[in-house]
Each structure stands twice: as C-alpha cells, then as structure tokens.
Amino acid sequence: MRAIFSFIFDRLTDPLGLPIEWYWECIILAVVGLAAYIIAYRAVGDLYSDGWIDGGTVGSVLHWVIRLITFIIIWAVTYGVIWLVRFITAHWVIVLSVLGGVLLTATAIITLLQVSKRRG
C-alpha cells in the first residue's frame, strides 16, 4: 500500500518545479518534502494518540493526504517568495520608487493630521 501512495504522491508533486537553478530547486524541494513528511507524521501520530483513528490503512491514507496538501502549500509559498524576489531584483528601481512614493505620501498625511490637530 505504501508503494502505491508513494507513487501517486511522486506523480502529483513531480511537475511542481521552481523558477530557479536546478541544484537550488533540488535542495529546496528536498527541504519542503522533509517538512511535509514531518508535519504529516506528527499530525497522524497525534490522531492515533487522541484515539481519532485506529488501524494502519487509515493512518497511511491520512499521512499521504496530509503530506500532499502540506507539500503543495509549502511549495506554493516558496514559489511565491521566489517569484517576488526575482520580480523585485528585476525591477528594483520601480519598486524603490513606489515604496518611496508611498512613504512620502504617508509622511505627508501624518504631518498634515498632526498640524491640523494642533490648530484645532
């Protein structure tokens, strides 16, 4: 049964690559896979300890489902962070200009509010 679940898990997670060099991708996906395994292992262990589940097949199915969902969530967050960093480094002048404009606007609004509060 484990072999079947492992095969399905591998097929579902195999196309989930990252937009970086292959060696970094291998390292990051290995860490993501390890984190997903640990989270699923602990979650199923807690379910056994609390008496919610009983039996190896149920635990195995839950482990692989939790592991898959966790892997996909962590992968999506990682992908988003990598995309954001690449976007910022590619367009750093625009990003700094927008951040500077927002900071300048916020400072102006706060200053105007303080001045109007002192007058009123």
Side-chain angles (χ1 to χ4, degrees), residues 2 5 8 12 75 77 83 85 100:
R2 181 196 179 288
F5 290 133
I8 294 169
L12 292 174
W75 170 85
V77 169
W83 180 88
V85 167

Side-chain angles (χ1 to χ4, degrees), residues 23-89:
Y23 48 87
W24 287 114
E25 179 181 9
C26 290
I27 293 168
I28 291 172
L29 288 179
V31 171
V32 168
L34 179 63
Y37 172 81
I38 291 170
I39 290 168
Y41 186 83
R42 288 184 180 170
V44 172
D46 290 344
L47 291 173
Y48 276 120
S49 297
D50 294 340
W52 284 91
I53 59 172
D54 189 10
T57 304
V58 173
S60 182
V61 169
L62 284 176
H63 170 82
W64 286 101
V65 168
I66 293 169
R67 187 173 173 181
L68 178 65
I69 292 169
T70 305
F71 184 93
I72 290 172
I73 291 170
I74 296 172
W75 170 85
V77 169
T78 304
Y79 192 96
V81 168
I82 291 170
W83 180 88
L84 184 64
V85 167
R86 290 176 68 125
F87 179 82
I88 290 171
T89 56

Side-chain angles (χ1 to χ4, degrees), residues 99-119:
L99 288 176
V102 169
L103 183 62
L104 184 63
T105 303
T107 304
I109 291 171
I110 291 170
T111 304
L112 288 173
L113 290 175
Q114 292 295 327
V115 168
S116 68
K117 185 177 179 181
R118 287 185 186 160
R119 287 185 181 175

